[in-house]
């Protein structure tokens, strides 16, 4: 099961850097403008980062 999840992370690792940057920029814009509710963008950036790390771990495994 763990190998399947890491394999899925490896496949998603192709798109994750782009989504990480997009979510991170959106969260920074919301914090600077004072718009609030930057938690969803921060959560998306964190999830994308976990997918990237899972893909890297799959390559090393």
């Amino acid at each position: 099961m763990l190998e399947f999840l890491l394999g899925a992370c490896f496949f998603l690792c192709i798109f994750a850097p782009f989504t990480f940057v997009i979510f991170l920029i959106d969260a920074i814009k919301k914090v600077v403008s004072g718009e609030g509710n930057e938690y969803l963008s921060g959560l998306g950036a964190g999830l994308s980062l976990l997918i990237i790390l899972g893909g890297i771990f799959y390559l090393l495994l």
Side-chain angles (χ1 to χ4, degrees):
M1 181 70 178
L2 179 64
E3 190 172 337
F4 172 74
L5 288 175
L6 291 176
C9 284
F10 177 70
F11 176 73
L12 292 174
C13 194
I14 298 168
F15 306 106
F18 302 110
T19 58
F20 173 72
V21 170
I22 289 170
F23 278 124
L24 189 63
I25 289 173
D26 188 43
I28 291 171
K29 281 188 344 188
K30 286 181 180 178
V31 167
V32 170
S33 69
E35 226 176 87
N37 199 13
E38 67 276 353
Y39 298 113
L40 187 61
S41 300
L43 181 66
L47 183 63
S48 297
L49 187 60
L50 283 176
I51 289 173
I52 292 169
L53 292 176
I56 291 171
F57 186 71
Y58 178 76
L59 284 177
L60 296 176
L61 189 70

